Amino acid sequence: MIKIDRPSLSDPAGIELLQRAGAARQVLIDTFRRKEKPSVDESLYKAYKKYLLEAFHHKCAYCETVISVNQPVDVEHYRPKNRVTDNKFKPIQVTYDDWGTVGHMGYFWLAYDWDNLLPSCIDCNRFRLHDDEIGGKGDRFPVANFRACLPGEEKKEAPLLVNPTLQDPNLHFEFLEDGTMRGLTDEGYETIVLLGLNLREHLVRARAAAFAASRRALREFLDEVGRNNSTIVDNIRDEVNSIWEGRVGYSAYGRKAIKGILHQYARSGLPIPMPLPGPQK
């Protein structure tokens, strides 16, 4: 998981989509106020898919698996849209003034909110079993203490699920060479467990391979610089920059490998022909 700066939707189609979403949001709120259960229009929030994939370099926001054109991708609601369950998928009970105590109806007012949407692979977004252990977010959304159930109350929540557009994952996770993740905070630990980020063997292997490949690429780059082989240097520079800029799968692990080698060179006093475009986000 890497930090992503969510772009604004400034093109005509994006602006029109935001306007439709705003009107539809008000319909959901008005429906709720009439003591009717809000019904979310799936086609409207899915219209954001192309913008989400572009912003996240066609990767899952949580695990950084590359999502190709023929793979399923979910438009994931960070705060669930229809209902909210606990970590064992039991509906969370809340009290509404006009409804009494019922199952949480979800953050329906955020169903079309650009800031509440993320691109996700199905393994991160949906309930899955991995050797009898549960992984995948589903309708779960852990918070510390206060739980919002009405529009605007979400500002008082303290979510325990890391959102890479709002938080720096490097503050919450340690990305280990063997492809696993370690939680550095309560949010980091909860996120790893909730999404099953250490349960999927294929994912762990892929992240370990990305770490090793990135380390090899930077070492090769530094070796070829010493040989003054400009053609190979330029090709490998592009590869390293893609990792550093987060444009490839599992770049959190690639960045970790690159930084490790750069630190070694810095400690040894060797000059580094820096291939990187700027500070890591």
Side-chain angles (χ1 to χ4, degrees), residues 12 27 41 57 66-67 76 103 134 159 161 208-209 216 219 229 237 245 248 254 257 263 269 276-278:
V27 170
D41 180 357
H57 306 292
V66 173
I67 303 170
E76 166 7 41
I134 295 174
L161 175 64
R216 286 195 301 270
R219 284 176 173 167
N229 194 333
R237 177 184 285 111
E245 293 168 356
V248 299
H263 288 159
L276 310 179

Side-chain angles (χ1 to χ4, degrees), residues 13-182:
I15 293 172
E16 191 270 338
L17 177 56
L18 292 173
Q19 291 172 342
R20 286 196 292 131
R25 174 184 186 272
Q26 190 58 52
V27 170
L28 293 176
I29 294 174
D30 291 343
T31 300
F32 173 79
R33 288 172 177 167
R34 292 196 304 268
K35 293 191 64 175
E36 299 174 16
K37 187 171 176 57
S39 179
V40 174
D41 180 357
E42 181 177 304
S43 66
L44 181 51
Y45 68 76
K46 285 189 174 181
Y48 287 103
K49 183 182 294 186
K50 70 172 184 176
Y51 295 106
L52 291 168
L53 289 175
E54 289 172 3
F56 284 81
H57 306 292
H58 288 260
K59 296 188 295 181
C60 173
Y62 294 124
C63 73
E64 277 201 278
T65 295
V66 173
I67 303 170
S68 65
V69 292
N70 60 348
Q71 286 179 310
V73 54
D74 287 343
V75 175
E76 166 7 41
H77 289 78
Y78 176 66
R79 285 181 165 88
K81 62 186 180 301
N82 288 323
R83 68 171 193 158
V84 184
T85 64
D86 63 18
N87 283 356
K88 295 183 178 180
F89 296 95
K90 181 179 178 181
I92 289 175
Q93 300 296 305
V94 296
T95 301
Y96 299 100
D97 288 342
D98 295 331
W99 295 74
T101 300
V102 295
H104 197 298
M105 295 183 189
Y107 301 81
F108 56 86
W109 63 94
L110 299 176
Y112 314 124
D113 192 318
W114 168 237
D115 292 330
N116 191 50
L117 303 176
L118 300 168
S120 176
C121 69
I122 60 175
D123 279 326
C124 282
N125 191 40
R126 307 182 195 180
F127 167 84
R128 315 279 273 183
L129 279 176
H130 307 276
D131 294 330
D132 296 327
E133 292 191 67
I134 295 174
K137 179 170 174 278
D139 296 313
R140 300 182 292 174
F141 187 69
V143 297
N145 302 317
F146 176 78
R147 167 81 62 185
C149 59
L150 295 172
E153 290 184 347
E154 70 275 9
K155 297 174 183 178
K156 297 185 288 184
E157 282 186 330
L160 294 174
L161 175 64
V162 175
N163 184 332
T165 67
L166 300 176
Q167 300 151 286
D168 182 357
N170 288 312
L171 301 178
H172 298 282
F173 307 107
E174 181 179 5
F175 304 100
L176 304 177
E177 184 175 349
D178 64 0
T180 59
M181 298 170 66
R182 185 170 72 87

Side-chain angles (χ1 to χ4, degrees), residues 123-124 130 134-137 140 190-201 203-204 207:
D123 279 326
C124 282
H130 307 276
I134 295 174
K137 179 170 174 278
R140 300 182 292 174
E190 287 282 347
T191 300
I192 291 169
V193 173
L194 187 77
L195 303 178
L197 294 176
N198 285 336
L199 294 180
R200 295 175 248 161
E201 291 185 10
L203 175 61
V204 173
R207 295 186 306 211

